[in-house]
């Protein structure tokens, strides 16, 4: 991830919300599983209780009709069955004798009774569920003699309705419990993760502001507390490194400025050098807005400077150069540029000259000023000065051509007897 993306980074999801969702998903799964198991167990238990109650009822019925079967009183048996048939959930009840023949029966409307022909008697109690119906067989014994059996079919739809109501109530209670647990869980997790969220916000602020003096508060001495301590240690190191880096950058910037000054300054006279002049000339000639403004370049060369070095020494020559530079510098404007090109050569760039006569008058004053005695170690230095003038853009429109024109004009002054100035003229030799 690059710095721009990191700077504008925003969390796309909340850690508290994500953890809450995961915990709620686990809790919901556990509650759903528990709900399923509870409902299944409740249904099985309800059926078992229904079967036990029905078994008691059929056992009592078998005990009551046994004498009637033995004595063949089917009328009394039917009357007994009618009493039992008052139960709403009873669909069918039948009594068979020892020959497995139907002795008495009672059938509710819209119910198709099972076929009992050619079915042997049940010697033991038998209970079976078929859909929403409960079927029971109960034998009738008399002194170890099977005298017949009783068949009962019961409707358990009412049991199903009761079970569904209980399930709905249980589901509603579980939903309330789940909602309350979700709210409590989110609150607890938010409180538990508050130090981590605060640490995240601080990291985001540090990343945006690059302010490594910020520190996080240690709330609890747990894993998050240890992480906070390590994060603070990292911020301390970054703060120290940032200070050292800033100091190093300041030093390098200062050194760079010094090197720049050295690159564009003459060490002896502290004037701009040839590189500075070339840079200024390129700016001048490349700026189209300056094409209608007159500028003048003076190429300056000292006369008899070699004689000064040979007879008075290089120290006297250096002091002479410094004196010449100071005298000329005092005569020009702040917007003009005086440079030492090397040796005894100087250049003066005059920008925004009102008219050529102004530049020529300045050149004349410079010649007179330099002709004033220059005394070094109580000795007068026998030097003069030759100046060549060229104008931009009338004489040249490029920096190199302007330099060549000014240099050619200076040599014209040398050939004319030195210690004077000349203006560049095309066709002059």
């Amino acid at each position: 991830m690059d710095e721009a993306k990191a700077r504008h980074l925003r969390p796309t999801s909340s850690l508290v919300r994500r953890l809450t969702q995961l915990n709620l998903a686990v809790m919901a799964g556990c509650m759903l599983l528990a709900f399923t198991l509870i409902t299944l167990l409740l249904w099985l238990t309800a059926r078992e209780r229904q079967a036990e109650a029905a078994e008691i009822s059929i056992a009592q019925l078998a005990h009551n009709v046994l004498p009637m079967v033995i004595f063949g009183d089917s009328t009394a048996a039917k009357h007994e069955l009618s009493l039992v048939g008052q139960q709403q959930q009873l669909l069918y009840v039948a009594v068979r004798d020892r020959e497995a023949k139907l002795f008495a029966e009672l059938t509710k409307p819209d119910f198709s009774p099972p076929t009992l022909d050619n079915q042997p008697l049940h010697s033991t109690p038998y209970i079976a569920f078929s859909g929403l119906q409960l079927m029971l067989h109960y034998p009738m014994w008399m002194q170890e003699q099977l005298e017949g059996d009783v068949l009962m079919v019961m409707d358990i739809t009412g049991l199903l309705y009761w079970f569904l109501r209980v399930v709905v109530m249980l589901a509603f209670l579980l939903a309330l419990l789940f909602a309350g647990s979700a709210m409590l869980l989110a609150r607890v997790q938010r409180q538990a993760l508050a130090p981590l969220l605060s640490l995240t916000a601080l990291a985001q602020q540090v990343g945006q502001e690059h302010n490594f003096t910020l520190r996080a508060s240690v709330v609890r001495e747990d894993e998050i507390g240890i992480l906070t301590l390590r994060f603070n240690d990292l911020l301390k190191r970054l703060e120290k490194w940032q200070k050292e880096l800033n100091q190093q950058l300041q030093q390098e910037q200062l050194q760079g400025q010094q090197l720049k000054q050295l690159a564009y300054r003459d060490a002896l006279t502290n004037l701009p050098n040839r590189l500075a002049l070339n840079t200024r000339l390129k700016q001048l000639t490349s700026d189209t807005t300056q094409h209608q403004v007159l500028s003048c370049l003076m190429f300056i060369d000292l006369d008899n400077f070699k004689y000064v070095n040979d007879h008075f020494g290089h120290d006297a020559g250096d002091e002479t150069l410094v004196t010449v530079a100071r005298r000329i510098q005092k005569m020009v404007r702040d917007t003009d540029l005086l440079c030492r090109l090397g040796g005894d050569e100087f250049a003066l760039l005059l920008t925004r000259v009102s008219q050529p006569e102004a530049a020529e008058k300045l050149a004349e004053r410079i010649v007179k000023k330099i002709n004033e005695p220059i005394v070094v170690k109580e000795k007068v230095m026998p030097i003069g000065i030759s100046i060549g003038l060229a104008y931009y853009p009338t004489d040249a429109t490029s920096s190199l051509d302007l330099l060549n024109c000014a240099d050619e004009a200076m040599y014209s002054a040398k050939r004319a007897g030195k210690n004077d100035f000349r203006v560049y003229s095309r066709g002059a030799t």
Side-chain angles (χ1 to χ4, degrees):
M1 182 178 294
D2 56 26
E3 184 179 356
K5 292 183 179 179
R7 186 181 301 113
H8 299 286
L9 179 63
R10 293 294 185 276
T12 57
S13 61
S14 170
L15 177 62
V16 175
R17 187 183 301 110
R18 188 162 63 252
L19 288 178
T20 302
Q21 291 173 350
L22 292 176
N23 290 332
L24 289 179
V26 174
M27 185 172 66
C30 294
M31 293 181 68
L32 181 60
L33 179 61
F35 176 75
T36 303
L37 295 176
I38 290 174
T39 53
L40 179 61
L41 180 62
L42 179 62
W43 174 247
L44 294 177
T45 303
R47 287 205 321 173
E48 183 178 354
R49 294 292 181 269
Q50 181 76 12
E52 290 177 354
E55 186 176 6
I56 294 174
S57 178
I58 197 174
Q60 183 64 39
L61 178 61
H63 176 74
N64 292 339
V65 299
L66 177 60
M68 303 172 188
V69 173
I70 293 175
F71 292 102
D73 190 355
S74 61
T75 302
K78 290 180 179 180
H79 177 72
E80 185 68 23
L81 294 183
S82 64
L83 295 177
V84 177
Q86 295 178 1
Q87 300 180 17
Q88 184 177 2
Q89 67 270 26
L90 184 65
L91 297 176
Y92 177 75
V93 61
V95 178
R96 295 188 297 175
D97 58 16
R98 67 176 62 182
E99 302 296 333
K101 294 181 179 180
L102 185 63
F103 184 75
E105 69 175 350
L106 177 66
T107 305
K108 287 290 181 73
D110 300 330
F111 178 77
S112 299
T115 302
L116 300 178
D117 297 339
N118 301 323
Q119 291 189 8
L121 297 174
H122 287 268
S123 59
T124 58
Y126 172 78
I127 300 176
F129 286 93
S130 176
L132 295 178
Q133 295 179 359
L134 173 62
M135 182 177 294
L136 301 94
H137 290 269
Y138 199 85
M140 294 183 294
W141 292 89
M142 183 65 178
Q143 297 180 352
E144 298 183 357
Q145 178 67 36
L146 183 62
E147 300 293 339
D149 63 2
V150 179
L151 170 64
M152 183 180 290
V153 179
M154 302 186 70
D155 184 14
I156 60 174
T157 303
L159 176 65
L160 177 62
Y161 288 157
W162 171 87
F163 171 75
L164 292 178
R165 287 196 299 270
V166 173
V167 169
V168 171
M169 293 179 59
L170 181 61
F172 179 72
L173 292 176
L174 287 178
L176 291 179
L177 178 62
F178 181 80
S181 301
M183 296 175 60
L184 181 61
L185 181 62
R187 183 176 180 181
V188 170
Q189 289 189 150
R190 189 178 294 108
Q191 292 178 350
L193 296 176
L196 184 59
L197 299 178
S198 176
L199 186 63
T200 303
L202 179 64
Q204 189 75 10
Q205 183 180 0
V206 170
Q208 292 176 350
E209 301 177 1
H210 299 285
N211 183 6
F212 301 115
T213 61
L214 301 174
R215 296 293 182 270
S217 300
V218 180
V219 180
R220 295 186 299 268
E221 295 183 358
D222 52 7
E223 291 82 355
I224 299 180
I226 296 175
L227 177 62
T228 303
L229 290 175
R230 300 288 80 82
F231 184 72
N232 287 336
D233 291 341
L234 178 61
L235 288 178
K236 291 179 182 178
R237 295 181 182 179
L238 290 175
E239 181 183 5
K240 181 179 178 181
W241 291 342
Q242 187 183 45
K243 290 181 179 179
E244 293 177 352
L245 179 60
N246 289 336
Q247 292 176 355
Q248 183 178 358
L249 290 176
Q250 290 176 358
Q251 293 177 355
E252 292 179 355
Q253 185 177 7
L254 180 60
Q255 292 175 356
Q257 292 176 352
Q258 293 174 350
L259 290 175
K260 185 177 180 180
Q261 291 179 354
L262 292 176
Y264 285 87
R265 286 283 173 179
D266 175 59
L268 177 62
T269 62
N270 200 32
L271 292 176
N273 57 14
R274 183 183 293 271
L275 180 59
L277 176 64
N278 291 335
T279 302
R280 186 69 174 274
L281 286 176
K282 288 181 180 179
Q283 294 175 353
L284 177 68
T285 56
S286 61
D287 189 356
T288 57
T289 61
Q290 299 290 333
H291 289 178
Q292 304 301 324
V293 180
L294 186 65
S295 299
C296 177
L297 177 63
M298 296 186 187
F299 203 99
I300 302 171
D301 186 82
L302 298 184
D303 301 327
N304 303 323
F305 185 71
K306 185 176 184 303
Y307 178 85
V308 171
N309 277 336
D310 293 341
H311 289 80
F312 300 99
H314 289 279
D315 291 341
D318 291 344
E319 190 169 345
T320 300
L321 292 174
V322 172
T323 302
V324 170
R326 288 175 180 174
R327 289 184 180 184
I328 299 176
Q329 187 71 50
K330 292 179 180 180
M331 301 175 66
V332 300
R333 302 169 299 180
D334 294 337
T335 56
D336 299 330
L337 180 66
L338 176 63
C339 303
R340 183 192 175 200
L341 305 183
D344 60 344
E345 293 181 343
F346 294 83
L348 176 59
L349 178 61
L350 307 176
T351 58
R352 297 185 178 276
V353 179
S354 58
Q355 53 186 356
E357 290 79 6
E360 294 167 10
K361 288 180 180 180
L362 176 60
E364 184 178 0
R365 292 199 304 271
I366 292 174
V367 172
K368 291 180 179 180
K369 190 65 177 179
I370 301 304
N371 284 331
E372 294 178 3
I374 298 177
V375 180
V376 177
K377 297 179 181 180
E378 300 180 353
K379 294 181 181 180
V380 178
M381 301 293 104
I383 65 167
I385 187 170
S386 298
I387 304 176
L389 285 72
Y391 294 98
Y392 171 85
T394 56
D395 294 330
T397 56
S398 68
S399 58
L400 182 59
D401 291 342
L402 189 61
L403 278 170
N404 292 334
C405 291
D407 184 60
E408 184 177 339
M410 184 273 296
Y411 277 107
S412 296
K414 291 276 189 183
R415 290 192 295 269
K418 301 181 180 181
N419 202 27
D420 199 356
F421 72 92
R422 287 289 184 274
V423 179
Y424 174 77
S425 176
R426 294 185 181 277
T429 57

